[in-house]
């Protein structure tokens, strides 16, 4: 144990009873019978706030509105369609079993739990698998143009980490198609006058009164107006915090502020150290790059990953003969090969880079080669499958993947961590619900490809609309808190003070400077591989950087206008706090699991070495107490349907 | 490379705007166009000047947030790309580049290069959806869709809602946006029950915000997703049928 760990964090009581118990196959169905209902005429008496209009938020808002609840939806985008769900490329998993390849709900559940390296809650993972079937039906009915077979049925393909074909897709734009369909359902409710949508409006705080979530404070991004909105319940579907790394695959505006500010009001934050590095990102090509470009993992279906056998080989790829290439994924993981799960593929790539075998001008990538697939299947087939991805690559790099291999590298991508929730999707603050990537519950320590669109869809369409009413039902006859309530006004005041504080530092460096510095620290210390000493150093450096931020940040302009620097400064301030908790959680978790790879804890073969005796648990962090130490609580994980086992993809 | 930028600056929607010239220095060739603007903003901010407001998000050409009129062309000189995909290797040291917001009555300027495209959402609200309450759907494979139709629907559905089509149109019309959405839904079996009502409602709402289509075809040329004006024909045909036969159920 790192000597000063106890000075850095406290340990709180364990969490029990977050999910019902019983036979997993009947758990959700039985639980639904236990959930309280609200009589249709009474539904309009309840108001629900939904923050975020991505797949989870749009689904929850549209469905709750259809059911008859008053819904107010918020997005900082100019339109609900822009939410970052739009950028997911490869597909969405479902245990439809449309192919005779042995797939089933049970198998999908096992793949998800195993893929997450046994750090997910069994009950939630089972429900994800079970409801996947309904998501595909629902999205198809909405007109999502899923890829089709010639017979008119829906096509599927394989994805990393599994051996069956259960990924539904719409070329390389699956997220876009699902997201647009979801936002259409949301707008349908707006058009019908049943739902109020606020665009260009950012949530800056959660209002908590008598221990319950009762509203939010928002800022109108165009006018700068700050105001409270109160309701009977609040749903956060505000995405993940991967942009803490600055150069990530996320959209530029994606941020942690909504969930982080809820955390500062008491909501437990689960597993902040679980960050997925996507193996098929594009390598950085200059200092000025503002983000990492993502290429869909589906490319690994037909692309072969390799590096030159000799370190420092600078020959162009096509001049390196077959016998001097190392197809290292096929060599190390013969049964899964190029479809090994993301955490394993990313770590394997990093090992090649560390061995000096990186390719490209900055020697920071590995090859993803389509020449065999083009020769075997023909250019037309490959075009059908990936044409837009190839075009994306050409635009981004100016290189032609039809004639030479793509170059790829691991990049910060998806976070498995998020606000802790129970089986109902409710956080540790009653009345605060969380869905999609903002939550934590399905993916354990590593998410399988094409499970992200699924988890957002399941939460939004098929879980929250059942569980939120269960919370509302006993509140019949109560009104949302009035805006002049002292708890509401106190929260508004806190938000104003923070904005004034940002504007009044008057420093010399813009918010992006600090964001990039934070990103570099996280990449170096809380990256693909971590170790205790480096994590402690990283946590300290992040704290120093945060102090420097509050001494030296520069925000030009004022707050009563569209001010993008001010928006960024507020988000960076939160990332600087979040970043330290990511390092602390990684330091605290003294094992390797999934994407959390501590170099001190590995098998002889260099694979992740879990410590199930001490760490078969979710870490859920409470905000720092008066002594400045965040408090780590644990939710023990039990595995009854699937036995704890060492993952093997060999 | 060093560049001269002529950029439209406008403090608010209700104040007049004008072009302001800026020098931006040390732009790497590998940078994207928006990264070049990031660099400009950093240089402005260092001098205590207000950065230029421009919008972007995914920077991978899929969210549709970015959209700049670059030397008079929506999304700049490259075909079939959004502004965020344009890279500075398209330019040479010493170039002058004029950057404006979308210019259209339907898209009022909010500030500098940011415009209000919410009229697109009004069009979707009017009929750009299939009414399918959650929980009501049958098994997905009960609705077979032949591959050619599915592929064609996908081509229409690829629209990213950026607004380049409106910006490119001499009339500021939104037919390509509306046509793509109506065609996608109206060619699929799931979209049939609301087909004519959809076409009628979408067109009527569109005309409240945007100009009229006179078949210039500039929209298709500007579209970053290469969406075909054939979809406008779909829209017109279904709209005519809706109006002539009164088939739009109330």
């Amino acid at each position: 144990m790192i000597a000063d760990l106890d000075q850095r964090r406290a340990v709180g009581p364990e969490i029990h009873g977050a999910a019902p118990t019983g036979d997993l196959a009947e758990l959700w169905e039985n639980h639904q019978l236990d959930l309280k209902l609200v009589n249709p005429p009474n539904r309009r008496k309840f108001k629900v706030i939904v923050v975020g209009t991505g797949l989870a938020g749009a689904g929850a808002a549209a469905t709750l509105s259809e059911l008859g609840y008053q819904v107010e939806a918020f997005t900082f985008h100019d339109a609900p369609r822009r939410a970052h769900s739009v950028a997911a490329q490869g597909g969405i998993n479902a245990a439809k079993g449309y192919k005779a390849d042995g797939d089933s709900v049970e198998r999908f559940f096992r793949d998800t739990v195993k893929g997450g390296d046994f750090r997910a809650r069994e009950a939630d993972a089972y429900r994800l698998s079970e409801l996947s079937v309904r998501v595909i039906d629902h999205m198809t009915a909405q007109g999502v143009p899923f890829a089709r077979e010639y017979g008119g049925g829906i096509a599927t393909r394989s994805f990393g980490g599994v051996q069956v074909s259960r990924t539904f897709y719409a070329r390389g734009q699956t997220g876009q198609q699902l997201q647009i369909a979801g936002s259409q359902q949301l707008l349908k409710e707006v058009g019908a006058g049943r739902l109020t949508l606020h665009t260009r409006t950012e949530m800056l705080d959660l209002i908590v009164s008598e221990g319950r979530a009762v509203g939010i404070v928002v800022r109108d991004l165009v006018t700068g107006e700050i105001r409270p909105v109160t309701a009977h319940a609040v749903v956060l579907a505000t995405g993940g915090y991967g942009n803490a790394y600055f150069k990530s695959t996320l959209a530029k505006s994606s941020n942690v502020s909504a969930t982080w500010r809820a955390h500062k009001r008491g909501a437990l934050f689960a597993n902040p150290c679980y960050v997925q590095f996507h193996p098929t990102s594009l390598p950085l090509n200059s200092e000025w790059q503002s983000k990492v470009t993502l290429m869909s993992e589906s490319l690994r279906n037909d692309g072969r990953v390799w590096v030159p056998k000799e370190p420092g080989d600078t020959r162009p790829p096509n001049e390196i003969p077959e016998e001097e290439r190392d197809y290292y994924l096929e060599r190390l993981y013969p049964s899964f090969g190029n479809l090994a799960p993301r955490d394993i593929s990313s770590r394997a790539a990093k090992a090649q880079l560390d061995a000096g075998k990186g390719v490209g001008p900055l020697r920071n990538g590995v090859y993803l080669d389509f020449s065999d697939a083009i020769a075997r299947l023909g250019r037309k087939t490959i075009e059908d499958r990936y044409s837009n991805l190839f075009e994306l690559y050409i635009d981004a790099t100016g290189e032609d993947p039809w004639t030479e291999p793509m170059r790829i590298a691991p990049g910060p991508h998806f976070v498995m961590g998020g606000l802790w929730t129970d089986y109902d999707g409710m956080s540790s603050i009653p009345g605060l619900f969380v869905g999609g990537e903002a939550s934590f519950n399905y993916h354990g320590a590593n998410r399988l490809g094409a499970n992200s669109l699924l988890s957002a869809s399941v939460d939004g369409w098929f879980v929250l609309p059942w569980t939120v009413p269960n919370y509302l039902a006993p509140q019949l006859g109560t009104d949302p808190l009035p805006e002049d309530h002292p708890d509401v006004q106190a929260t508004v005041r806190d938000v104003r003070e923070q904005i004034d504080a940002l504007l009044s530092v008057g420093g010399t460096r813009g918010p992006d400077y600090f964001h990039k510095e934070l990103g570099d620290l996280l990449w170096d210390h809380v990256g693909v591989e971590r170790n205790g000493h480096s994590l402690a150093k990283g946590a300290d450096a992040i704290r120093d950087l945060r102090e420097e931020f509050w001494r030296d940040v520069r925000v030009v302009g004022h707050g009563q206008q569209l001010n993008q620097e001010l928006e960024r400064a507020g988000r960076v301030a939160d990332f600087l706090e979040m970043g330290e908790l990511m390092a602390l959680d990684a330091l605290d978790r003294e094992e390797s699991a999934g994407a959390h790879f501590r170099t001190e804890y590995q098998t002889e073969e260099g694979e992740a070495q879990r410590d199930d005796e001490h760490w078969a648990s979710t870490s859920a962090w409470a905000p720092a107490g008066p002594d400045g130490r965040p408090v780590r609580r644990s939710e023990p994980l039990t595995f009854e349907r699937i036995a704890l086992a060492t993952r093997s993809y060999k | 490379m060093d560049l001269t930028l002529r950029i439209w600056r406008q403090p608010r929607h209700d104040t007049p705007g004008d072009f302001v010239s800026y020098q931006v220095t040390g732009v790497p060739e590998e940078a994207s166009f928006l990264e070049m603007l990031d660099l400009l903003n950093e240089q402005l901010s260092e001098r205590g000047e207000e950065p230029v407001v421009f919008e972007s998000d995914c920077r991978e050409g899929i969210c549709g947030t970015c959209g700049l009129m670059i030397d008079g062309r929506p999304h700049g000189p490259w075909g079939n790309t959004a502004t965020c995909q344009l890279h500075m290797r398209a330019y040479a040291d010493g170039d002058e580049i004029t950057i404006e917001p979308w210019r259209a009555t339907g898209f009022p300027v909010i500030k500098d290069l940011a415009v209000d495209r919410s009229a697109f959402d009004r069009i979707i609200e009017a009929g750009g959806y299939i009414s399918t309450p959650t929980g009501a759907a049958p098994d997905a494979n009960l609705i077979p869709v032949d591959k050619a139709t599915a592929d064609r629907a996908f081509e229409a559905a690829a629209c990213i809602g950026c607004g380049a089509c409106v910006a490119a149109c001499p009339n500021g019309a939104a037919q390509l946006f509306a046509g793509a959405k109506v065609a996608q839904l109206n060619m699929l079996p799931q979209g049939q029950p609301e087909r004519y009502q959809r076409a009628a409602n979408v067109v009527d709402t569109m005309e409240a915000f945007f100009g009229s289509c006179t078949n210039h075809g500039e929209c298709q040329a500007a579209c970053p997703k290469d969406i075909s004006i054939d979809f406008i024909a779909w829209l017109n045909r279904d709209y005519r049928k809706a109006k002539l036969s009164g088939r739009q159920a109330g």
Side-chain angles (χ1 to χ4, degrees), chain A residues 395-455:
Chain A
D395 291 335
T397 62
E399 294 169 16
D400 182 7
W402 293 108
T403 56
E404 58 182 308
M406 286 185 181
R407 289 179 292 116
I408 56 171
H413 179 54
F414 181 92
V415 290
M416 284 69 71
L419 287 181
W420 181 90
T421 58
D422 62 14
Y423 186 67
D424 285 350
M426 190 159 80
S427 73
S428 57
I429 301 177
L432 178 68
F433 291 80
V434 194
E437 193 180 349
S439 180
F440 89 105
N441 40 338
Y442 299 111
H443 310 298
N446 173 56
R447 176 176 63 76
L448 286 185
N451 261 3
S452 167
L453 290 174
L454 176 65
S455 54

Side-chain angles (χ1 to χ4, degrees), chain A residues 63 66 77-82 86-87 89 96 98 134 136-138 140-143 145-146 148-154 170-171 173 176-177 180 184-185 187-188 190-191 200 222 249 251-254 285-286 288-294 392 394-398 461-462 516 554 556-557 561-562 564-565, chain B residues 28 30 35 38-39 42 45-46 48-60 62-65 78 81 85 87 89 110-111 114-117 121 124-125 128-135 137-141 143-147 150-151 153-155 157-162 177 181 184-185 188 190:
Chain A
T63 307
E66 283 168 3
H77 292 288
D78 71 323
R81 63 182 298 143
R82 313 257 188 244
V86 84
Q89 296 169 353
K96 274 287 193 188
Y98 281 163
R134 300 199 71 183
I136 298 302
D137 296 340
H138 185 46
T140 303
Q142 288 180 33
F146 284 119
R148 298 267 168 175
E149 308 285 3
Y150 282 100
I154 303 183
R171 290 197 202 163
Q173 301 169 18
Q176 186 211 15
Q177 292 308 319
I180 288 175
Q184 285 167 190
Q185 294 301 309
L187 290 172
K188 167 184 68 106
V190 174
R200 297 188 188 272
V222 177
T249 63
K252 292 301 292 172
S253 312
S254 298
N285 62 19
S286 84
W288 278 104
Q289 202 160 323
S290 57
K291 76 182 297 281
V292 172
T293 302
L294 172 70
L392 187 68
I394 293 167
D395 291 335
T397 62
W461 302 108
F462 293 105
K516 286 176 191 166
R554 175 194 63 218
V556 179
Q561 60 171 353
L562 180 55
Q564 295 173 320
E565 278 222 312
Chain B
E30 304 84 33
E35 284 161 0
D38 290 341
L39 184 60
E42 187 154 315
S45 173
E46 270 170 20
E49 293 179 42
E50 270 202 37
V52 177
V53 169
F54 67 93
E55 299 196 278
S56 76
D57 201 29
C58 77
R59 296 201 176 187
E60 292 179 358
I62 199 69
C63 74
T65 308
W78 288 359
T81 48
Q85 295 168 290
H87 278 65
R89 59 180 183 273
I110 294 173
K111 185 175 179 180
V115 300
D116 178 357
R117 288 169 288 196
D121 285 348
I124 300 297
E125 286 164 16
Y129 53 79
I130 291 172
S131 297
T132 167
T134 305
D139 184 276
N141 263 355
I143 318 166
V145 180
D146 66 278
K147 189 173 185 305
D151 287 349
F154 178 90
E155 283 164 20
C159 168
I160 58 173
C162 65
F177 172 80
K181 183 45 64 190
Q184 176 212 339
L185 301 175
L188 290 170
Q190 304 94 300

